[in-house]
Amino acid sequence: MQIKGFIDTTFLDWDGKVACTVFTPGCNLRCPFCHNHGLVLNPEQYEDVKEEEIFDFLTKHNDFIDGVCITGGEPTLQKGLDKFCERVKKLGIKIKLDTNGTNPTVVRRLLEKDLVDYIAMDIKAPLNEEQYSEVSGVRCEVDKIRESVNLIKNSGVEYEFRTTVVPSLHTFRDIEQISRDIKGAKLYVLQKFQPRFAMDRGLRNSRVLSDDDMKKLVKIISCNVDKAFFRGK
Amino acid sequence: MIVSNDSTDAALFVKVSREDVVKWDRKSIVEALLRETTISPELAEKISKEVEETIIKSKIKFITAPLIREVVNGKLIEYGLEEERKQHTRLGLPIYDVDQMLISRNRENANVPHGPEATNLTLAESIKKQYALLKIFPPEIAVAHEKGDFHLHDLGMIDRPYCSGNSLEYVKKFGLSLPNAISISKPAKHPEVLIGQMIKFSAALQGNFAGAIGWDAVNLFFAPYLVGVDNEKLEQLAQMLIFEFAQQSVARGGQSIFSDLNIYWEIPKHFIGVPAIGPGGKFTGNNYEDYIEESQKFAIALFKVYKEGDGLGRPFFFPKPQVHITERLFKTEGYEDFLYLISDVSSDKGNTYYVFDRGETAKISECCRLSFKLEKSDFEDAKTPWKMRYSAMQNVTLNLPRVAYEAGGSDERLFEIITERMELMARAHVYKRNFIKKLLDMKNQGPLSLLSMNRDGEPYYRLHRATFLFGMVGLNELVQYHTGEEMHESNQALKFGLRVIAFMKKEAERLGEKYGLRFVLEQTPAESTAYRMAKLDLEHYRDEALTVVKGIVEKNEIYYTNSTYLNVGVPLSPIERVKKEGMFHPLIEAGSLSHIWIGEARPDPGGIASFVVKTFKNTQNDQIAFSPEFTSCLDCGRTTRGL
Ligand code: SF4
């Protein structure tokens, strides 16, 4: 698997766990608010991290590492993803997958092979072709997104759906609609948009939502999902 | 300081130290020399005459007693009477220095408060330091300190022991009746009163110790006072306790009390079956284990206060909360939530110190890095917990990189030099001990009357239980110079580091037996010592030091790596750090610590809790703390006074 970044120890990426995070290059979406756009647009600027280096670390420290977070870019585009996960699991370490949900086939396969323990799936917009495509920057097949949502909901593994709330792209109504689209989900997390790092320069000066706004939103979505909260300062 | 030089009778007047002006009398010189030095009466006469001649010839208009003394000292040197000169010397400061000190802030250490109290302390310390180096320690030890072979800490507090671990039970049982105090208080009946007594006693203790004032099992010992107290009141009491400690920065020298609160979630094994003391200093008829609920509630309340921070939401530097992580903790109901709470405080404010007591050990932590393993005799003490009073007498830190420079690559020489240095350091401990003993033996009449007060059959300060500390600076640079690699760079280098510390431990034990004192290794909590030694080595061992010293030489921002730490500048996984640094901890009995830097982002408390549990279960690390950002005050909270 191609890896472009490795954080050997983090308390940030998987709640309750001592985790590592690996970053895979490339993505099939172009979300204007993406803050990993270097990895999406010009991954060649980053040096490859050798798998061996990561497994050396994991082998030495699997008495500490609870889990590996695989993020990107979009990890489901990676050819060696299954193999990588298998190797990690063999060490008794859990896996969290971040995905944009455009590849239900890969998600299904990983679930069937029991290779993931937590899935965090982005929901970019209410599940209709037009809005989804606008917010994700490319034409999107919403059916696939919906398929992923259902797969994950019924998978039995722990999961979260999450949305980065961008004031100029989302209305409160949109967020409420998303919560209806994923109705009954166990956990829905809203993330505060960090304009400074946005892919689209035009967004970099946009306003930041206040904690109060976020709390209001959480309240709005709470009735459609089991649990909701927001992240970000 | 007066006056004229009348040609007829040389009626010179002298301003003397007792605020008086007296007529010149040569005999005063003779008297002083005979009183203070071992010089013969004939020589004293001779010197006094020569001094008189010099002074009169000079036609000076003003003269002070100190100046006369210096002229006499000059004469003593002319006669080659070095020892007598020392006996006759004055201690003091140039007026320029005092002027600077009174008016401008200490530039080297912005953390030292500036104000009349602070400068009083600095002035007093500077004189006591001179006194210590001239009078308490023999020249070879004083010189070794001045050259930077090792560092004698807190010389400006030569007449106090270093730090102390205290028991709230003492205050509960005996109330607050300090020697020389105008009024005495009986044992407290209410928790508020107990808090007040505890803080006042802490302030009094701080006047008798140079370092930290630690309090054991605070939440548990408060518990018998908290029966039936509702949550709101409980939180108020927790606030009172923390704020009162934190805001005592009006105490000695305008500094805070270096206070530590030891906190347990479970009932420590050694307190099970121990009769509890409650309101009025009376036994309640129950044992400590019967108060677990109150004890836990109070622990939670305390951490809620830490989480909130001060009036501006900033962290409290003092009192430091030290939570003991033990096997029993994991068997005590509710520990997950408690761990989450204290980890949340780590993540948000950084306060929590996690002290790992594995197996049968139990520890009392006094300062952020200093903890004492309780020994058999201590477990006996635990049945009468008011007796659980411990202290480290003094801390002497070895400059390790210099040892490597002098050894020039030879293993044999390296260990020889360590032995030589430690022998001298051990003797320094003996001198300090004897001096303090002398003061303690004066009991009520002496300067340490507080420490010699006797309410329970032995003095408050239990000299026979005192520990003496051997610290170290720059193990990493020693290894780097000697082997060519820093300790994080190879296993071999790390192993060599371990060998050095194991050797130091053995030497400390050997010397302890030789002198009949309890000598143990300690991680020196003094960034300024690391700086001082680096600076001195750059002067005296420039070529060698340049190859290993850390920081920026051009800007004079240099340091050696603290104690046995790995290079703090290299990005090292926190996991590697707690594991590798932890390998040294079993050798360093008086406590050691790893710092985990967690950057600016606010990490997930659950992740931190998981890391803590793993550090307990999978490493030998003794103590960890998380620092949201790299600041030297979080690192220690205490910056060493003195050189
Ligand atoms: S936000 Fe995620 S899905 Fe969107 S472009 Fe960036 S990496 Fe791809």
XYZ file of all heavy atoms in Angstrom, chain B residues 98-180:
654
model
N 23.509 45.117 44.863
C 22.289 45.282 45.655
C 21.352 46.269 44.956
O 20.145 46.049 44.861
C 22.625 45.771 47.074
C 21.355 46.036 47.869
C 23.488 44.738 47.786
N 21.953 47.328 44.427
C 21.180 48.325 43.709
C 20.421 47.666 42.554
O 19.218 47.852 42.375
C 22.155 49.388 43.197
C 21.428 50.603 42.678
O 20.546 51.102 43.412
O 21.707 51.027 41.545
N 21.144 46.900 41.779
C 20.524 46.193 40.651
C 19.389 45.292 41.127
O 18.310 45.264 40.557
C 21.573 45.308 39.953
C 22.641 46.078 39.231
C 22.120 46.652 37.932
O 21.610 45.928 37.103
N 22.214 47.966 37.791
N 19.704 44.579 42.179
C 18.764 43.580 42.674
C 17.468 44.217 43.171
O 16.383 43.749 42.884
C 19.449 42.841 43.815
C 18.913 41.476 44.080
S 19.816 40.801 45.478
C 21.384 40.402 44.760
N 17.614 45.326 43.899
C 16.425 45.944 44.476
C 15.540 46.544 43.407
O 14.322 46.547 43.531
C 16.830 47.053 45.464
C 17.535 46.633 46.737
C 17.603 47.815 47.702
C 16.811 45.479 47.413
N 16.186 47.048 42.358
C 15.413 47.852 41.417
C 14.980 47.081 40.175
O 13.840 47.174 39.759
C 16.201 49.128 41.071
C 16.234 49.989 42.342
C 15.542 49.893 39.929
C 17.346 50.956 42.404
N 15.899 46.295 39.616
C 15.463 45.630 38.377
C 15.170 44.155 38.594
O 15.705 43.510 39.482
C 16.493 45.823 37.261
O 17.779 45.907 37.790
N 14.323 43.690 37.735
C 13.859 42.306 37.781
C 15.004 41.365 37.411
O 15.877 41.725 36.622
C 12.728 42.188 36.772
C 12.079 40.864 36.650
C 10.859 40.996 35.763
N 9.695 41.458 36.517
C 8.972 40.657 37.312
N 9.289 39.397 37.457
N 7.932 41.125 37.961
N 14.968 40.179 37.971
C 15.952 39.155 37.650
C 15.789 38.762 36.188
O 14.788 38.187 35.791
C 15.700 37.949 38.563
C 16.679 36.832 38.316
O 17.290 36.745 37.259
N 16.830 35.967 39.306
N 16.784 39.089 35.372
C 16.625 38.855 33.941
C 16.824 37.387 33.568
O 16.272 36.912 32.607
C 17.591 39.737 33.143
C 16.889 40.925 32.494
C 17.874 42.015 32.180
N 18.381 42.598 33.416
C 19.658 42.938 33.627
N 20.546 42.749 32.697
N 20.038 43.463 34.774
N 17.642 36.725 34.332
C 17.917 35.339 33.991
C 16.723 34.448 34.284
O 16.548 33.416 33.673
C 19.127 34.827 34.768
C 20.383 34.910 33.937
C 21.585 34.459 34.726
O 21.437 33.529 35.535
O 22.655 35.041 34.538
N 15.940 34.850 35.233
C 14.827 34.000 35.589
C 13.585 34.833 35.863
O 13.361 35.325 36.947
C 15.195 33.182 36.832
C 14.149 32.140 37.102
O 13.061 32.186 36.536
N 14.461 31.218 37.975
N 12.794 34.958 34.822
C 11.623 35.819 34.913
C 10.554 35.246 35.840
O 9.624 35.935 36.213
C 11.045 36.041 33.522
N 10.728 33.973 36.208
C 9.715 33.361 37.067
C 9.851 33.768 38.519
O 8.932 33.599 39.301
C 9.816 31.837 37.013
C 9.419 31.330 35.657
O 8.551 31.896 35.018
N 10.072 30.285 35.207
N 11.024 34.262 38.871
C 11.212 34.685 40.243
C 10.474 35.995 40.421
O 10.682 36.941 39.676
C 12.711 34.857 40.550
C 12.907 35.466 41.909
C 13.425 33.531 40.437
N 9.586 36.030 41.389
C 8.845 37.274 41.562
C 9.784 38.396 41.964
O 10.866 38.161 42.493
C 7.870 36.943 42.691
C 8.369 35.709 43.328
C 9.262 35.008 42.366
N 9.372 39.617 41.686
C 10.212 40.752 42.019
C 9.443 41.626 42.985
O 8.330 42.040 42.699
C 10.541 41.524 40.739
C 11.569 42.585 40.958
N 11.354 43.886 40.639
C 12.799 42.520 41.489
C 12.432 44.601 40.954
N 13.322 43.791 41.480
N 10.035 41.868 44.118
C 9.361 42.678 45.126
C 10.209 42.671 46.365
O 11.194 41.928 46.440
N 9.852 43.469 47.340
C 10.685 43.557 48.549
C 10.918 42.202 49.210
O 12.035 41.907 49.636
C 9.875 44.475 49.468
C 8.962 45.215 48.580
C 8.693 44.353 47.403
N 9.891 41.377 49.253
C 10.056 40.056 49.868
C 11.035 39.206 49.078
O 11.871 38.502 49.627
C 8.702 39.341 49.923
C 8.028 39.365 51.269
C 8.928 38.913 52.392
O 9.533 37.837 52.271
O 9.032 39.640 53.390
N 10.892 39.275 47.755
C 11.743 38.467 46.887
C 13.196 38.892 47.010
O 14.095 38.057 47.086
C 11.274 38.572 45.447
N 13.440 40.206 47.048
C 14.834 40.637 47.133
C 15.408 40.359 48.520
O 16.581 40.052 48.652
C 15.007 42.115 46.740
O 13.984 42.881 47.352
C 14.931 42.273 45.244
N 14.574 40.429 49.531
C 15.038 40.003 50.861
C 15.573 38.583 50.791
O 16.642 38.268 51.310
C 13.873 39.995 51.852
C 13.774 41.290 52.615
O 14.394 42.286 52.223
N 13.013 41.288 53.686
N 14.790 37.738 50.143
C 15.169 36.342 50.054
C 16.484 36.190 49.283
O 17.389 35.486 49.707
C 14.055 35.554 49.364
C 14.272 34.058 49.250
C 14.207 33.390 50.602
C 13.223 33.439 48.331
N 16.574 36.891 48.162
C 17.777 36.783 47.344
C 19.009 37.248 48.123
O 20.060 36.612 48.081
C 17.639 37.640 46.069
O 16.338 37.423 45.545
C 18.675 37.267 45.040
N 18.854 38.362 48.830
C 19.986 38.879 49.600
C 20.395 37.890 50.686
O 21.568 37.566 50.844
C 19.604 40.211 50.249
C 19.599 41.413 49.297
C 18.917 42.607 49.942
C 21.023 41.762 48.888
N 19.406 37.418 51.404
C 19.710 36.482 52.480
C 20.361 35.229 51.912
O 21.354 34.731 52.445
C 18.421 36.117 53.218
N 19.821 34.761 50.805
C 20.370 33.543 50.230
C 21.803 33.742 49.774
O 22.632 32.847 49.896
C 19.520 33.096 49.039
C 18.260 32.373 49.456
C 17.682 31.579 48.309
O 18.279 30.559 47.938
O 16.637 31.995 47.761
N 22.081 34.918 49.248
C 23.425 35.099 48.730
C 24.441 35.100 49.872
O 25.545 34.582 49.737
C 23.500 36.341 47.846
O 24.085 37.400 48.537
N 24.054 35.645 51.009
C 24.983 35.639 52.143
C 25.096 34.237 52.751
O 26.182 33.755 53.072
C 24.557 36.686 53.183
C 24.878 38.071 52.616
C 25.291 36.474 54.511
C 24.439 39.215 53.456
N 23.958 33.562 52.844
C 24.020 32.216 53.413
C 24.807 31.279 52.515
O 25.464 30.351 52.984
C 22.611 31.680 53.626
C 21.925 32.319 54.829
C 20.653 31.594 55.194
C 19.966 32.283 56.365
N 18.712 31.612 56.719
N 24.724 31.527 51.232
C 25.499 30.690 50.310
C 27.004 30.886 50.535
O 27.759 29.925 50.618
C 25.124 31.045 48.874
C 25.848 30.174 47.868
C 25.805 30.741 46.490
C 24.508 30.375 45.794
N 24.404 30.998 44.485
N 27.393 32.157 50.653
C 28.811 32.420 50.928
C 29.229 31.757 52.240
O 30.308 31.160 52.343
C 29.061 33.927 51.031
C 28.796 34.692 49.745
C 28.836 36.210 49.970
O 29.483 36.689 50.903
N 28.150 36.960 49.131
N 28.337 31.863 53.195
C 28.603 31.267 54.507
C 28.787 29.758 54.372
O 29.740 29.174 54.893
C 27.425 31.588 55.430
C 27.443 30.888 56.754
C 28.256 31.348 57.784
C 26.641 29.775 56.978
C 28.271 30.701 59.021
C 26.651 29.120 58.200
C 27.470 29.591 59.222
O 27.480 28.941 60.429
N 27.886 29.134 53.624
C 27.946 27.680 53.463
C 29.260 27.257 52.832
O 29.912 26.315 53.284
C 26.774 27.203 52.612
N 29.646 27.971 51.798
C 30.840 27.564 51.063
C 32.118 27.829 51.854
O 33.142 27.181 51.655
C 30.897 28.277 49.709
C 29.847 27.773 48.699
C 29.825 28.657 47.458
C 30.111 26.318 48.318
N 32.053 28.797 52.761
C 33.249 29.081 53.555
C 33.288 28.277 54.846
O 34.338 27.900 55.332
C 33.278 30.570 53.921
C 33.810 31.499 52.838
C 33.548 32.939 53.210
C 35.302 31.262 52.627
N 32.109 28.040 55.379
C 32.082 27.635 56.770
C 31.578 26.200 56.951
O 32.029 25.481 57.822
C 31.145 28.621 57.498
C 31.076 28.485 58.971
C 32.184 29.203 59.672
C 32.119 28.771 61.123
N 32.914 29.461 62.033
N 30.606 25.797 56.140
C 30.018 24.477 56.355
C 30.817 23.403 55.628
O 31.049 22.325 56.152
C 28.548 24.445 55.874
C 27.744 25.514 56.576
C 27.941 23.060 56.094
C 27.712 25.400 58.091
N 31.204 23.722 54.409
C 31.914 22.721 53.614
C 33.395 23.037 53.571
O 33.778 24.200 53.497
C 31.344 22.686 52.196
C 29.890 22.342 52.154
C 28.927 23.320 51.899
C 29.464 21.041 52.387
C 27.570 23.002 51.871
C 28.112 20.712 52.361
C 27.166 21.696 52.109
N 34.233 22.001 53.582
C 35.675 22.237 53.460
C 36.008 22.711 52.054
O 35.214 22.510 51.133
C 36.276 20.864 53.744
C 35.202 19.892 53.415
C 33.898 20.581 53.695
N 37.186 23.333 51.898
C 37.509 23.969 50.616
C 37.401 23.026 49.421
O 36.923 23.441 48.374
C 38.960 24.413 50.807
C 39.220 24.399 52.254
C 38.232 23.504 52.905
N 37.816 21.775 49.579
C 37.807 20.919 48.384
C 36.381 20.711 47.867
O 36.143 20.629 46.667
C 38.540 19.597 48.633
C 37.944 18.653 49.672
C 38.333 18.989 51.124
O 38.795 20.123 51.385
O 38.146 18.117 52.008
N 35.428 20.684 48.791
C 34.034 20.518 48.363
C 33.507 21.824 47.776
O 32.869 21.845 46.724
C 33.160 20.042 49.543
C 33.548 18.596 49.901
C 31.677 20.134 49.206
C 32.847 18.034 51.124
N 33.826 22.935 48.453
C 33.376 24.231 47.952
C 33.922 24.487 46.553
O 33.204 24.925 45.653
C 33.809 25.338 48.908
N 35.181 24.170 46.366
C 35.804 24.416 45.063
C 35.187 23.517 43.992
O 34.898 23.961 42.880
C 37.337 24.207 45.147
C 37.953 24.162 43.768
C 37.959 25.324 45.970
N 34.943 22.271 44.332
C 34.333 21.361 43.356
C 32.964 21.883 42.925
O 32.577 21.786 41.758
C 34.202 19.956 43.944
N 32.243 22.479 43.882
C 30.957 23.084 43.534
C 31.162 24.299 42.631
O 30.510 24.458 41.616
C 30.210 23.503 44.808
C 29.076 24.451 44.547
N 27.822 24.017 44.160
C 29.015 25.810 44.572
C 27.042 25.072 43.973
N 27.739 26.165 44.218
N 32.103 25.147 43.032
C 32.301 26.388 42.276
C 32.806 26.112 40.864
O 32.412 26.776 39.911
C 33.266 27.319 43.029
C 32.537 28.061 44.143
C 33.447 28.557 45.266
O 34.629 28.148 45.308
O 32.952 29.334 46.107
N 33.662 25.112 40.742
C 34.170 24.757 39.406
C 33.097 24.080 38.558
O 33.185 24.033 37.348
C 35.332 23.763 39.536
C 36.654 24.384 39.907
C 37.812 23.410 39.647
C 37.434 21.950 39.851
N 38.549 21.012 39.990
N 32.110 23.501 39.215
C 31.065 22.811 38.464
C 31.294 21.322 38.287
O 30.706 20.707 37.413
N 32.128 20.716 39.119
C 32.237 19.248 39.090
C 30.906 18.644 39.535
O 30.447 17.648 39.020
C 33.315 18.756 40.052
C 34.723 19.032 39.527
O 34.839 19.448 38.357
O 35.696 18.834 40.286
N 30.362 19.270 40.551
C 29.010 18.917 40.963
C 28.343 20.168 41.509
O 28.980 21.221 41.622
C 28.979 17.770 41.978
C 29.873 17.958 43.187
C 29.561 18.896 44.163
C 31.012 17.165 43.348
C 30.371 19.056 45.279
C 31.833 17.328 44.467
C 31.512 18.267 45.430
N 27.072 20.056 41.797
C 26.329 21.233 42.241
C 25.660 20.938 43.573
O 24.911 19.977 43.696
C 25.279 21.600 41.191
C 24.565 22.882 41.481
N 24.992 24.103 40.993
C 23.452 23.142 42.217
C 24.177 25.054 41.423
N 23.236 24.497 42.172
N 25.972 21.763 44.549
C 25.297 21.654 45.842
C 24.051 22.533 45.765
O 24.155 23.747 45.616
C 26.207 22.176 46.960
C 27.558 21.471 47.122
C 28.517 22.340 47.921
C 27.352 20.136 47.809
N 22.892 21.906 45.825
C 21.667 22.680 45.653
C 21.282 23.434 46.920
O 21.594 23.001 48.029
C 20.512 21.766 45.267
C 20.676 21.194 43.895
N 20.138 21.761 42.773
C 21.361 20.114 43.475
C 20.468 21.047 41.720
N 21.216 20.042 42.112
N 20.608 24.543 46.710
C 20.030 25.314 47.807
C 21.049 25.710 48.875
O 20.762 25.619 50.070
C 18.869 24.536 48.453
C 17.740 24.321 47.461
O 17.254 25.326 46.917
O 17.371 23.167 47.214
N 22.202 26.152 48.422
C 23.205 26.612 49.391
C 22.706 27.826 50.164
O 23.051 28.022 51.320
C 24.499 26.964 48.653
C 25.321 25.770 48.204
C 26.488 26.244 47.340
C 25.838 25.000 49.412
N 21.873 28.619 49.506
C 21.319 29.803 50.177
C 20.340 29.416 51.280
O 19.847 30.252 52.023
N 20.031 28.128 51.341
C 19.149 27.630 52.399
C 19.896 26.568 53.192
O 19.354 25.512 53.507
C 17.885 27.044 51.777
C 17.210 28.023 50.848
S 15.463 28.128 51.186
C 15.031 29.546 50.209
N 21.122 26.877 53.446
C 22.005 25.898 54.079
C 21.479 25.451 55.442
O 21.721 24.338 55.884
C 23.438 26.472 54.208
C 24.415 25.419 54.705
C 23.478 27.725 55.085
C 24.594 24.260 53.761
N 20.701 26.339 56.085
C 20.215 26.009 57.422
C 18.832 25.364 57.420
O 18.125 25.387 58.423
C 20.233 27.257 58.322
C 19.640 28.471 57.626
O 19.315 28.379 56.425
O 19.503 29.518 58.284
N 18.420 24.820 56.275
C 17.166 24.061 56.227
C 17.409 22.763 55.472
O 18.206 22.729 54.545
C 16.079 24.776 55.429
C 16.004 26.229 55.652
C 15.008 26.837 54.671
N 15.083 28.281 54.807
C 14.134 29.114 54.441
N 13.038 28.658 53.897
N 14.287 30.402 54.613
N 16.661 21.732 55.803
C 16.665 20.536 54.961
C 15.993 20.855 53.622
O 15.389 21.911 53.455
C 15.850 19.518 55.750
C 15.698 20.081 57.114
C 15.833 21.560 56.998
N 16.089 19.905 52.702
C 15.613 20.148 51.343
C 14.078 20.063 51.233
O 13.408 21.063 51.079
C 16.313 19.143 50.428
C 15.879 19.119 48.988
C 15.697 20.295 48.269
C 15.690 17.905 48.325
C 15.320 20.264 46.936
C 15.316 17.869 46.989
C 15.125 19.056 46.304
O 14.757 18.998 44.999
N 13.517 18.874 51.337
C 12.072 18.809 51.138
C 11.423 17.843 52.126
O 12.105 17.122 52.839
C 11.730 18.395 49.717
S 12.253 16.729 49.356
N 10.103 17.853 52.130
C 9.445 17.082 53.167
C 8.139 16.467 52.690
O 7.420 17.045 51.891
C 9.147 17.974 54.359
O 8.115 18.869 54.011
N 7.863 15.291 53.204
C 6.568 14.650 53.001
C 5.849 14.651 54.336
O 6.422 14.259 55.349
N 4.625 15.115 54.333
C 3.938 15.327 55.606
C 2.627 14.556 55.671
O 2.116 14.102 54.662
C 3.674 16.815 55.792
C 4.951 17.619 55.680
O 5.746 17.665 56.598
N 5.182 18.215 54.509
N 2.125 14.458 56.859
C 0.879 13.739 57.046
C -0.158 14.666 57.658
O 0.076 15.286 58.699
C 1.113 12.547 57.971
O -0.124 12.013 58.363
N -1.288 14.730 57.001
C -2.373 15.547 57.510
C -2.806 15.056 58.899
O -3.334 15.816 59.716
C -3.560 15.473 56.532
C -4.645 16.519 56.686
C -4.078 17.922 56.584
C -5.716 16.315 55.622
N -2.564 13.783 59.169
C -2.968 13.211 60.448
C -2.305 13.942 61.609
O -2.870 14.051 62.688
C -2.610 11.721 60.489
C -3.313 10.905 59.418
C -4.814 11.068 59.443
O -5.285 12.047 58.838
O -5.504 10.246 60.050
N -1.121 14.420 61.377
C -0.412 15.168 62.417
C -1.198 16.424 62.790
O -1.402 16.734 63.964
C 0.984 15.538 61.914
C 1.898 16.065 62.984
C 2.691 15.202 63.727
C 1.966 17.432 63.258
C 3.537 15.676 64.718
C 2.808 17.918 64.249
C 3.581 17.037 64.978
O 4.416 17.509 65.950
N -1.651 17.125 61.760
C -2.418 18.353 61.988
C -3.758 18.003 62.635
O -4.232 18.690 63.538
C -2.635 19.107 60.658
C -3.385 20.404 60.910
C -1.302 19.380 59.981
N -4.368 16.909 62.152
C -5.665 16.528 62.701
C -5.553 16.172 64.185
O -6.402 16.493 64.996
C -6.233 15.329 61.922
C -6.824 15.722 60.577
C -6.924 14.551 59.609
C -7.936 13.522 60.041
N -8.022 12.411 59.062
N -4.478 15.478 64.497
C -4.333 14.960 65.861
C -3.880 16.042 66.848
O -4.365 16.102 67.970
C -3.315 13.814 65.854
C -3.347 12.944 67.101
C -2.506 11.687 66.850
C -2.070 11.011 68.124
N -3.158 10.486 68.931
N -2.957 16.864 66.383
C -2.338 17.801 67.334
C -2.781 19.249 67.146
O -2.378 20.125 67.906
C -0.821 17.717 67.239
C -0.294 16.337 67.539
C 0.292 15.566 66.544
C -0.413 15.793 68.818
C 0.755 14.290 66.809
C 0.058 14.513 69.100
C 0.639 13.759 68.086
N -3.585 19.507 66.112
C -3.964 20.891 65.865
C -2.769 21.679 65.380
O -1.774 21.106 64.929
N -2.871 22.980 65.528
C -1.777 23.804 65.036
C -1.210 24.565 66.219
O -1.783 25.548 66.675
C -2.329 24.782 63.984
C -1.302 25.481 63.124
C -0.549 24.483 62.265
C -1.981 26.520 62.256
N -0.112 24.049 66.744
C 0.517 24.777 67.844
C 1.996 24.865 67.553
O 2.771 24.025 67.928
C 0.260 24.072 69.166
O 0.625 22.715 69.066
N 2.324 25.869 66.807
C 3.697 26.024 66.362
C 4.528 26.646 67.481
O 4.032 27.475 68.235
C 3.739 26.930 65.138
C 2.807 26.483 64.009
C 2.772 27.519 62.901
C 3.264 25.139 63.473
N 5.778 26.246 67.558
C 6.629 26.869 68.574
C 6.717 28.365 68.304
O 6.690 28.779 67.149
C 7.992 26.204 68.363
C 7.876 25.300 67.197
C 6.488 25.303 66.697
N 6.818 29.129 69.318
C 6.939 30.592 69.231
C 5.680 31.276 68.711
O 5.646 32.480 68.562
C 8.105 31.047 68.325
C 9.378 30.312 68.657
O 9.633 29.990 69.812
N 10.179 30.041 67.644
